Amino acid sequence: MSWYNPASWGKTEQRRRIPYRRNYNGANTSRLFSSFLGNSSSADKEIRPALRKMRDRVRQLSRNEPIATKALQIYRTQVVGDRGLRLQVRARNLPTKDKPKGSLDVSGNDIVETLWKEFCQKGVCEITGRHSFIDCQQLVIEGLIRDGEVLVKHVRGADNKFGYGLQFLEPDYLDEEYNQTLNNGNRVVMGVELNSVNRPVAYYLFDGAHPYDEVGKTAGRTRVPASDLLHIYRPDRAQQTRGVSAFHSVMDKIHMLNGYAEAELVASRLSASKPLVLETQDGVGYAGDSFDDEAPEMLAEAGTIMQLPSGVKLSSVPTDHPSTAFAEFQKAMLRSIATGLGLDYVTLSSNLESVSYSSIRSGTIESRDNYRMHQQFLIDHFALPVFKEWLNIGMTAGAIPFPMERYNKFANNAYFRPRGYSWVDPQREVQANINALQNGFLTFSDVAQAVSGRDVEEVFSTLQSDLEMAERYGIKINIQPLGQKTPAQPEVNDGTTDE
């Protein structure tokens, strides 16, 4: 056996001389991956040149593209809803021997909740007087999805009894072109001043009117401490300073799909018009009934019988629209867009054809998990910070009749309840909740929150009030106690079977 003849090598020798590839397929640099480019960069480096252009384009989509408009409407409806986040305060009194945890401070909680409802009214919580607190929540969630970030300024000394209000600013006020290193060692990245551990310490906002307004525009920036401003955004990477739109991965598909739909619509309209063309051997010789840009036209009416001159032929323009492949292609694109936006296809497309109970329930449950995630984000980054600032300033001003020593008692025991969701199949899901309650897998609080977004104490209080009112008017209401079997009802023939 010759050592230099590879054909005579054994399998062991061949394995020793073939390099073992320790690599990932995603890092392959072969011909098939030549267009799969990726550069090492920070999140801010990627965002900085694209931030304004993406924001402007998504706003254009939301103005003109039905899919983008519908997506924003879904988020407003499903995350905030018509009642928004509702405050529930569960502060307790000092513990006693009988109650080691302390009893609920019912009167104190009621006072805080009542004053908060007063603050949430239109004309009180927001300094322009145009928005209620529910409207403010709608502005936050829509701005978060469309623009990628929201700016809310704490206005101390506002013109209301609490001395506190909110000012909403579009992210255009935060100058993404302002980037430099300050003398104190802090860095300004896209208008946000960061300390050595990347904690925001201040924001540089444009003065005066909206920076893109033609009227009332003023130059210059103002340094606003981070304690005076809520910069709300959901980062995709740990060291990301500015937020990007939720549409970033699908905005090209929405724009191109709308262009394709427009082209198909125009082509279909032309096809339906059935245009006809007059042809002659030499292109001249027929005067026609009228002229349009020097081209002869012949007028045609229903039931008309005519004879063309010699050498003139009437032919139709071939058309093949509407295309039979358009519907399936549009569905495929809408599924991709819905996936990128975290929505289910049925809701985004308003297409309920061929939908079964199990399929729509599966898609609905997944979407609702996404909505709940946004609800919790809205609570943590907007509602709770605003409530704590309102509580602090209100107590200091005397508008909330408690000493500052009780601030932590109420601030640390405040909860916001988001909207709940109705059942896809009420009969099945109500029975499932009853079984879960009977076996201890769920509590009344769990069910009340999941179904209606209400606090169980509010449910019981309202139920008690309704029962007392019914008794006062002599109306008998039969509420089946949990765990008690319903008496057997006589069977009624509905006509589908023989007697």
Side-chain angles (χ1 to χ4, degrees):
M1 178 181 69
S2 173
W3 177 258
Y4 296 100
N5 182 10
S8 64
W9 293 353
K11 293 184 178 181
T12 302
E13 288 79 4
Q14 290 185 26
R15 282 198 297 267
R16 289 173 180 171
R17 285 157 180 79
I18 296 176
Y20 186 76
R21 296 180 179 177
R22 299 179 181 271
N23 208 338
Y24 293 95
N25 290 335
N28 196 315
T29 57
S30 66
R31 175 179 55 84
L32 298 177
F33 285 78
S34 60
S35 61
F36 194 175
L37 303 178
N39 299 322
S40 298
S41 64
S42 67
D44 290 339
K45 185 178 179 181
E46 294 173 351
I47 292 172
R48 188 182 299 121
L51 184 62
R52 182 180 298 181
K53 180 62 69 176
M54 280 200 303
R55 190 167 61 224
D56 293 343
R57 286 179 173 177
V58 173
R59 288 174 180 174
Q60 180 181 350
L61 292 180
S62 67
R63 290 192 297 266
N64 301 318
E65 311 289 354
I67 293 300
T69 304
K70 178 65 178 295
L72 292 174
Q73 179 264 324
I74 291 172
Y75 271 104
R76 289 196 307 269
T77 303
Q78 297 297 328
V79 176
V80 179
D82 60 332
R83 304 184 68 181
L85 302 173
R86 282 167 290 174
L87 176 68
Q88 178 188 12
V89 184
R90 285 294 173 265
R92 293 181 175 272
N93 295 314
L94 293 175
T96 62
K97 291 182 179 180
D98 298 334
K99 295 185 177 180
K101 288 184 61 177
S103 60
L104 283 173
D105 186 357
V106 178
S107 59
N109 294 337
D110 287 344
I111 290 173
V112 174
E113 290 177 3
T114 301
L115 291 174
W116 174 257
K117 288 180 181 178
E118 182 180 345
F119 172 74
C120 292
Q121 298 302 308
K122 177 178 176 291
V124 181
C125 62
E126 192 267 337
I127 62 172
T128 67
R130 298 181 220 162
H131 307 294
S132 67
F133 194 63
I134 294 179
D135 299 330
C136 293
Q137 297 168 50
Q138 303 272 13
L139 288 173
V140 171
I141 197 64
E142 181 166 351
L144 192 65
I145 300 300
R146 183 191 61 235
D147 299 333
E149 52 189 352
V150 180
L151 302 178
V152 184
K153 190 175 182 181
H154 299 294
V155 180
R156 302 175 180 91
D159 186 18
N160 57 48
K161 65 180 287 186
F162 304 100
Y164 173 70
L166 303 173
Q167 181 184 12
F168 279 79
L169 300 171
E170 290 193 321
D172 309 84
Y173 276 88
L174 194 54
D175 186 9
E176 66 272 5
E177 300 297 332
Y178 184 39
N179 301 274
Q180 70 174 31
T181 301
L182 304 179
N183 294 331
N184 60 3
N186 290 348
R187 296 180 303 124
V188 179
V189 179
M190 291 180 283
V192 183
E193 183 179 341
L194 306 172
N195 64 13
S196 59
V197 295
N198 286 328
R199 183 187 182 98
V201 296
Y203 297 89
Y204 290 85
L205 306 180
F206 285 115
D207 291 326
H210 193 285
Y212 301 154
D213 276 347
E214 296 181 356
V215 179
K217 181 179 178 181
T218 58
R221 308 183 194 91
T222 300
R223 183 181 185 273
V224 179
S227 58
D228 294 346
L229 192 73
L230 294 176
H231 182 204
I232 305 171
Y233 70 101
R234 186 186 296 278
D236 297 317
R237 295 173 63 177
Q239 294 181 314
Q240 181 176 325
T241 307
R242 299 289 297 267
V244 296
S245 170
F247 285 84
H248 69 272
S249 65
V250 298
M251 55 192 300
D252 57 338
K253 292 182 176 63
I254 296 176
H255 177 68
M256 298 297 288
L257 180 61
N258 188 71
Y260 172 48
E262 182 183 15
E264 185 70 27
L265 179 63
V266 172
S268 299
R269 180 181 178 184
L270 292 175
S271 178
S273 301
K274 298 295 183 184
L276 302 176
V277 177
L278 293 172
E279 298 180 0
T280 61
Q281 293 180 352
D282 54 3
V284 295
Y286 176 64
D289 297 317
S290 64
F291 285 85
D292 181 18
D293 295 334
E294 303 304 325
E297 293 182 348
M298 182 178 66
L299 304 180
E301 298 179 357
T304 300
I305 300 175
M306 65 184 68
Q307 181 178 4
L308 296 177
S310 175
V312 178
K313 181 176 66 174
L314 187 65
S315 61
S316 61
V317 178
T319 56
D320 57 353
H321 294 277
S323 172
T324 56
F326 173 74
E328 290 303 319
F329 178 77
Q330 186 183 43
K331 289 178 184 178
M333 289 297 98
L334 285 178
R335 290 189 185 98
S336 177
I337 293 170
T339 300
L341 291 173
L343 304 173
D344 62 280
Y345 163 77
V346 172
T347 304
L348 182 63
S349 65
S350 302
N351 183 5
L352 295 172
E353 64 181 16
S354 304
V355 173
S356 64
Y357 165 76
S358 58
S359 63
I360 196 171
R361 185 176 188 274
S362 176
T364 301
I365 290 176
E366 182 177 357
S367 296
R368 287 178 178 179
D369 288 340
N370 180 45
Y371 303 146
R372 290 188 180 98
M373 182 180 67
H374 280 84
Q375 287 174 338
Q376 191 60 49
F377 186 88
L378 187 64
I379 292 170
D380 293 338
H381 295 263
F382 176 64
L384 276 176
V386 168
F387 170 77
K388 291 181 179 180
E389 193 68 25
W390 167 82
L391 187 66
N392 181 30
I393 296 176
M395 283 184 170
T396 303
I400 301 175
F402 298 107
M404 283 301 298
E405 291 78 12
R406 301 182 67 182
Y407 169 80
N408 288 333
K409 170 182 175 178
F410 293 108
N412 297 334
N413 292 282
Y415 306 92
F416 281 92
R417 306 296 184 188
R419 62 152 293 178
Y421 300 99
S422 58
W423 292 297
V424 178
D425 187 333
Q427 184 175 1
R428 297 185 187 183
E429 298 193 29
V430 166
Q431 189 58 50
N433 283 332
I434 291 175
N435 292 336
L437 284 169
Q438 291 174 335
N439 291 281
F441 298 130
L442 290 177
T443 65
F444 287 101
S445 296
D446 296 329
V447 176
Q449 170 58 40
V451 176
S452 62
R454 301 170 65 192
D455 172 46
V456 69
E457 184 179 5
E458 180 186 359
V459 174
F460 289 162
S461 176
T462 305
L463 179 59
Q464 183 183 34
S465 177
D466 290 349
L467 292 175
E468 290 173 354
M469 184 183 298
E471 184 178 359
R472 199 162 57 244
Y473 284 94
I475 300 174
K476 185 177 180 181
I477 298 179
N478 182 22
I479 297 180
Q480 188 66 39
L482 189 65
Q484 180 177 326
K485 293 183 179 180
T486 305
Q489 300 294 328
E491 294 184 358
V492 179
N493 191 340
D494 59 3
T496 59
T497 58
D498 294 334
E499 292 288 353

